[in-house]
Amino acid sequence: MNSVLQHDLNDLENILEKAKQQGIDFLNNLENIPTSNKNSIDYTRELNELGLGSLSALKEFNERLAPLMVASPGPRYWGFVTGGSTPASIVGDWLATVYDQNTQAIKAQGGASALIEFETINLLLQLFELPDSFLGGFVTGATMSNFTSLGVARQWFGKQFGKDFAKNGISEPITILTATPHSSSIKSLAMLGIGSNNYTTIKTIEGNREAIDISDLEKNIESLNGRPFILISSAGTVNTADFDDFLAISKLKEKYNFWWHIDAAFGGFAAVSDKFKHLVEGWERADSITIDCHKWLNVPYESAFYLVKKEHTTLQIETFQNSNAPYLGNPLENFNYLNVLPENSRRLRALPVWFSLLAYGKEGFCDIVENSASMALHFGNQLIEDGNFELLAPIRLNNVCFTLKGDHNQEKVSQFLTELNDRGKVFMTPTVYRNRKGIRASFVNWQTTENDIKTVIEEMKAVFLEI
């Protein structure tokens, strides 16, 4: 064995203890770590010949790379709908690394860790009160979840014309209807060969809404004269957390032939709260659903799952199976995630979620969701009371979309947000809503309190006075 590797092996407990302590120090000090920074490095470092060993590498990391890190797991990181990591999810993530499984099979001599994934998906279906008619699996994020779901939808569309798009390529124009899709769905259309411009935009409901106008949707459906289509709907739009009317779409599903996909990356978590579950009523009729775990489930990044109705399993296998690997056996008889989603190499992403669900249960996640929604309302009220800001849309769940008050301040919005973020006490993201420059704050972190909002409001007042 290489001498440096041997030394690290002999010193493994000490190495991991130091890494653990560094992680604890970081998490315990989130209050003092900036949410943004302008630090940089000279990334042209040359690779050394002999290797430094883990502890020397850790020392260099602390000196050169650690200053790049921001408090994204903290309670005032309100950009990108980013959840922090709960203690249980960190345990699961660390152990997923230690056990280092390639999670694919549910029965195999080489490992059956996918059984853990099966159990975790079952627990998630219970959390969201969805039927077991869905088959689910873990992917890296909402983009790959949308990609997986819409990949199966693409295959379904081809079969309506007796064609196998997965084997022979797309030979029919695919009709996509949607109102306010997330960019990851549009990116998925590009990756699937459907085309990022190839969708029809349905009108939204009047009155400052981002949800589908059902009457306009039906008009567009009727104009297709019976031709099949794919509908991409939203459970929580990215700017204002608006929801499409799933009960109304369910009724359309009874009349027309279409694949119904719901992007519920964060909005699906409305289902865990009695206060908000009405927002997703009827979503169980969908053919596929996207939900992120590194958002409101508060697990480490690269965690999302897809749900596709079991009745479409054959279509899913046709889309993703490793058809030139006979050692995998019959995909219908021997279930393996290799054959139902894009990645052939998969870490045990289910484990942080499994730990989280067992540790905190339904009540724990209900509390997180309801606290986040409460904090969003509190922040919105503080903005209104200040008088220098205005809401661009009602607060429907956990997103606050706002801007500087008055059209004369529109030219200052970008400067205001840049300077606010640079101060390092909060991080929010820019947006454009109804042709007005705005700012979006997303509340999903399990640790956010009214004290955090007080801190942010004080920072905002200071920056506003400066500009």
Side-chain angles (χ1 to χ4, degrees):
M1 182 184 290
N2 172 274
S3 60
V4 179
L5 273 170
Q6 183 68 61
H7 183 272
D8 274 4
L9 178 61
N10 296 340
D11 198 30
L12 182 61
E13 185 174 349
N14 180 42
I15 292 168
L16 295 183
E17 181 61 34
K18 288 187 181 299
K20 181 194 79 172
Q21 192 57 54
Q22 179 161 330
I24 292 171
D25 291 345
F26 175 80
L27 294 173
N28 284 340
N29 195 40
L30 282 173
E31 177 70 25
N32 301 312
I33 296 170
T35 51
S36 297
N37 65 50
K38 295 183 176 180
N39 297 333
S40 186
I41 59 169
D42 176 4
Y43 47 83
T44 59
R45 185 197 192 285
E46 293 185 4
L47 180 65
N48 53 296
E49 189 69 29
L50 300 178
L52 302 176
S54 293
L55 291 181
S56 294
L58 180 61
K59 182 175 182 293
E60 181 170 331
F61 169 83
N62 289 330
E63 293 170 352
R64 295 182 59 246
L65 307 187
L68 298 175
M69 305 300 166
V70 298
S72 53
R76 295 191 304 276
Y77 195 89
W78 298 347
F80 310 119
V81 200
T82 301
S85 298
T86 58
S89 73
I90 293 172
V91 172
D93 200 61
W94 282 0
L95 290 178
T97 297
V98 169
Y99 286 110
D100 198 22
Q101 305 293 293
N102 184 12
T103 306
Q104 301 287 7
I106 60 172
K107 50 180 180 179
Q109 286 183 313
S113 59
L115 287 169
I116 297 171
E117 189 156 339
F118 265 43
E119 177 165 302
T120 306
I121 292 294
N122 178 51
L123 293 171
L124 287 165
L125 290 174
Q126 294 175 54
L127 178 69
F128 293 107
E129 297 184 1
L130 284 167
D132 64 1
S133 54
F134 286 98
L135 175 70
F138 282 86
V139 288
T140 55
T143 301
M144 289 311 297
S145 181
N146 283 326
F147 177 85
T148 303
S149 299
L150 293 172
V152 185
R154 182 188 65 177
Q155 186 71 354
W156 170 88
F157 190 94
K159 288 301 176 77
Q160 307 312 298
F161 298 91
K163 298 183 178 182
D164 188 335
F165 285 176
K167 284 187 177 178
N168 302 315
I170 299 172
S171 54
E172 293 281 341
I174 299 178
T175 304
I176 310 286
L177 303 182
T178 187
T180 316
H182 187 265
S183 60
S184 62
S185 291
I186 304 308
K187 184 175 184 176
S188 296
L189 297 181
M191 294 190 294
L192 287 163
I194 297 171
S196 59
N197 289 331
N198 185 28
Y199 64 91
T200 299
T201 303
I202 306 301
K203 292 179 182 177
T204 54
I205 300 171
E206 292 184 4
N208 201 357
R209 296 289 304 277
E210 291 187 297
I212 288 173
D213 182 320
I214 297 298
S215 61
D216 189 60
L217 173 61
E218 189 155 19
K219 285 180 185 177
N220 277 269
I221 295 173
E222 289 172 348
S223 70
L224 294 173
N225 296 317
R227 184 179 174 87
F229 65 95
I230 297 167
L231 175 67
I232 302 175
S233 63
S234 299
T237 54
V238 70
N239 273 329
T240 69
D242 207 352
F243 286 71
D244 293 328
D245 186 340
F246 299 145
L247 284 176
I249 295 173
S250 296
K251 292 177 182 177
L252 293 178
K253 198 101 163 72
E254 297 171 1
K255 296 170 60 177
Y256 304 102
N257 182 33
F258 63 96
W259 180 284
W260 179 16
H261 174 64
I262 300 176
D263 184 342
F266 67 90
F269 283 87
V272 310
S273 164
D274 287 339
K275 291 182 180 179
F276 302 114
K277 65 172 56 178
H278 66 278
L279 294 170
V280 294
E281 190 175 356
W283 71 327
E284 68 278 357
R285 293 289 310 279
D287 294 286
S288 57
I289 301 173
T290 282
I291 301 180
D292 250 333
C293 295
H294 56 236
K295 288 186 169 61
W296 232 336
L297 201 71
N298 281 241
V299 304
Y301 251 117
E302 285 203 13
S303 183
F305 62 100
Y306 66 84
L307 296 172
V308 175
K309 282 285 175 64
K310 290 178 180 176
E311 65 190 76
H312 302 308
T313 299
T314 298
L315 295 173
Q316 193 166 356
I317 289 172
E318 289 173 354
T319 303
F320 294 111
Q321 74 179 112
N322 283 255
S323 56
N324 63 341
Y327 57 85
L328 296 174
N330 185 326
L332 286 171
E333 294 177 2
N334 302 301
F335 180 87
N336 193 305
Y337 275 112
L338 280 166
N339 293 315
V340 295
L341 44 66
E343 299 121 326
N344 280 10
S345 301
R346 308 171 68 239
R347 77 190 303 263
L348 186 50
R349 288 193 192 93
L351 201 55
V353 177
W354 184 92
F355 266 90
S356 300
L357 293 171
L358 264 68
Y360 308 122
K362 287 186 177 181
E363 186 173 312
F365 287 103
C366 176
D367 287 347
I368 291 173
V369 167
E370 292 184 357
N371 178 69
S372 296
S374 176
M375 291 302 100
L377 282 172
H378 182 63
F379 180 59
N381 288 334
Q382 293 296 301
L383 292 176
I384 293 169
E385 286 181 17
D386 179 79
N388 292 316
F389 307 94
E390 61 179 301
L391 299 182
L392 289 171
I395 298 170
R396 301 186 174 96
L397 189 62
N398 65 315
N399 279 1
V400 182
C401 190
F402 68 99
T403 192
L404 303 186
K405 194 168 186 177
D407 289 340
H408 63 286
N409 279 322
Q410 275 288 289
E411 62 185 29
K412 298 179 181 178
V413 174
S414 297
Q415 178 192 356
F416 170 83
L417 181 58
T418 298
E419 294 190 16
L420 178 67
N421 284 341
D422 280 348
R423 292 168 75 101
K425 291 294 186 181
V426 65
F427 178 76
M428 292 184 278
T429 45
T431 191
V432 175
Y433 182 73
R434 296 183 177 271
N435 298 317
R436 295 188 71 192
K437 292 180 181 179
I439 298 168
R440 192 196 64 181
S442 296
F443 292 82
V444 286
N445 189 285
W446 60 286
Q447 297 186 78
T448 306
T449 68
E450 289 187 5
N451 283 333
D452 293 301
I453 292 171
K454 181 180 178 182
T455 298
V456 173
I457 292 292
E458 289 173 355
E459 292 288 297
M460 292 173 69
K461 287 180 178 179
V463 172
F464 188 84
L465 287 174
E466 289 176 4
I467 67 166

